[in-house]
Amino acid sequence: MSHTHPDADTLRSALQLAVRAPSVHNTQPWQWRVGEQTVHLYADPARRLPHTDPDGRDLLISCGAALHHLCAGVRAFGWTTRVHRLPNPAEPDHLAAVEFRPEPPTPEAIRLAQAIERRRSDRRRYTSWEVTGSHIAELVEVGQSHGVLVRNVGGDYERARLLRAFERAAQDHARDFEYGAELHQWSGRHAAAQGVPAHSAVISTDPTVRRFADPGLPQAVLCDIDGEDSMLLLSTPGDERISQLRAGEATSAIMLTATVMGLASCPLTEPLEITATRAAVRSEVLHDSGFPQMIIRLGWAAQSADPLPATPRRPMDQVIRPL
Ligand SMILES: Cc1cc2nc3c(=O)[nH]c(=O)nc-3n(C[C@H](O)[C@H](O)[C@H](O)COP(=O)(O)O)c2cc1C
């Protein structure tokens, strides 16, 4: 092993963890270029979803999540990272250059990296067991350490406004033929190395659940459905691309930490993909204090709920290139 740079096998293992990151419709819109001393993350604009994600925000959040997964993965192998975000203004798809420095892993770092393989977007109902204030406080702090504001949407008024935004977005999307065609192209029985497979999607009348094609995942059976899931709303002071990248890093950090805690989670962005409902979330839930980027639903999975199979990923040789 070199003292200044992880060897090729270590980097490949870390990149295998990086591509386990969540991404909108499992599009995996990233490319990695591996140099002698650095790893570079590029957005793959051909994988943007024009009718779901017209602004490319979900794409950047997905890439940010993969960037954090890389850093969390390599950290467990004994390396810390220095990340240069958007290093070249002339090349906007070049999202990050990552440098490495040796540092022995801590037990927390190892637990976080181990959570990568276990994490799933779980769209089933969660139990009414409370996600305690100390869990929430820790997750809020994790998000804030990535420069992102995290609000636990708990108050009745704000909660109702957020749910209303989900309902309106689902109604708008149901009338949008091109959105529907795109959703069917990226989900259901035909999902292969990409997209949301039928076995990951549930039938649900809950407005927070996106209407993926051919939902084939049985809903969790619960004795008590009175409880409320926790909803974390991630926002940033500005709405530039770097804020969206950071929001993706925070999403990854929160979801992996939640997985370590034993919590189930699911990222949700449908109301943030439509200008009017995003504006409503900004004014009615955030009271104009930031730009909403991501919503994470959290809770305890039912004990009867089967473990979720992993969603597929593209072959590594399609996403890694030498520099
Ligand atoms: C930016 C972003 C937006 C997402 N939006 C939603 C959503 O609105 N609804 C949903 O059920 N899943 C959403 N997801 C989860 C993806 O569908 C999921 O990450 C992908 O299918 C891969 O599955 P996995 O997370 O279980 O590995 C989103 C993920 C990201 C990163």
Side-chain angles (χ1 to χ4, degrees), residues 1-321:
M1 185 198 286
S2 139
H3 290 295
T4 56
H5 189 59
D7 61 28
D9 286 345
T10 304
L11 276 185
R12 194 172 172 86
S13 301
L15 286 166
Q16 269 163 344
L17 292 175
V19 301
R20 294 305 315 161
S23 62
V24 60
H25 291 14
N26 198 16
T27 46
Q28 307 159 55
W30 43 67
Q31 280 287 332
W32 302 94
R33 300 210 184 137
V34 180
E36 283 292 304
Q37 303 290 325
T38 43
V39 169
H40 300 263
L41 169 64
Y42 285 78
D44 183 348
R47 304 183 77 78
R48 183 175 67 85
L49 301 170
H51 304 292
T52 307
D53 181 27
D55 302 330
R57 187 183 317 109
D58 287 350
L59 180 147
L60 277 172
I61 293 174
S62 305
C63 289
L67 175 61
H68 177 265
H69 266 51
L70 174 74
C71 297
V74 84
R75 181 76 192 86
F77 299 145
W79 298 88
T80 54
T81 45
R82 180 150 179 223
V83 178
H84 306 271
R85 294 172 187 80
L86 302 175
N88 181 358
E91 211 185 355
D93 290 333
H94 188 186
L95 300 183
V98 184
E99 293 173 345
F100 304 90
R101 197 165 44 81
E103 193 167 309
T106 60
E108 295 77 40
I110 292 171
R111 277 196 286 274
L112 202 68
Q114 284 172 334
I116 290 177
E117 296 283 8
R118 293 201 312 279
R119 184 207 58 80
R120 307 278 184 267
S121 296
D122 190 343
R123 304 182 175 88
R124 296 171 295 189
R125 282 192 295 258
Y126 306 151
T127 70
S128 59
W129 295 345
E130 191 195 354
V131 179
T132 65
S134 64
H135 286 110
I136 297 288
E138 186 176 338
L139 294 170
V140 167
E141 204 178 306
V142 163
Q144 287 178 345
S145 71
H146 288 275
V148 167
L149 303 167
V150 184
R151 177 185 285 251
N152 177 29
V153 184
D156 287 346
Y157 172 82
E158 290 167 354
R159 184 78 176 200
R161 301 326 293 170
L162 186 62
L163 292 179
R164 180 74 195 115
F166 270 105
E167 281 161 8
R168 280 179 50 204
Q171 284 160 6
D172 281 12
H173 273 159
R175 285 192 293 267
D176 181 341
F177 174 80
E178 287 167 318
Y179 166 87
E182 192 167 78
L183 190 64
H184 275 69
Q185 184 195 338
W186 282 94
S187 61
R189 287 188 297 272
H190 308 294
Q194 57 192 14
V196 180
H199 65 63
S200 297
V202 278
I203 298 180
S204 173
T205 52
D206 182 333
T208 68
V209 175
R210 208 194 275 273
R211 304 277 175 265
F212 292 110
D214 309 320
L217 173 67
Q219 190 49 278
V221 179
L222 301 173
C223 318
D224 167 10
I225 53 167
D226 286 345
E228 243 182 12
D229 301 334
S230 297
M231 290 276 188
L232 299 184
L233 174 57
L234 279 58
S235 64
T236 47
D239 204 17
E240 325 75 30
R241 297 172 79 243
I242 195 158
S243 298
Q244 297 165 5
L245 192 68
R246 298 284 284 175
E249 295 176 63
T251 298
S252 163
I254 291 173
M255 291 185 72
L256 292 181
T257 306
T259 305
V260 172
M261 292 170 169
L263 285 162
S265 61
C266 189
L268 303 169
T269 46
E270 200 168 358
L272 309 183
E273 290 156 5
I274 297 172
T275 305
T277 45
R278 186 174 190 233
V281 172
R282 172 162 151 74
S283 68
E284 295 169 7
V285 186
L286 290 176
H287 308 290
D288 292 320
S289 63
F291 292 87
Q293 307 289 358
M294 168 58 75
I295 301 154
I296 302 179
R297 182 168 78 93
L298 287 169
W300 303 103
Q303 276 176 343
S304 61
D306 289 331
L308 288 175
T311 49
R313 292 295 184 270
R314 301 162 69 202
M316 293 299 282
D317 58 8
Q318 287 185 15
V319 292
I320 305 183
R321 303 251 184 288

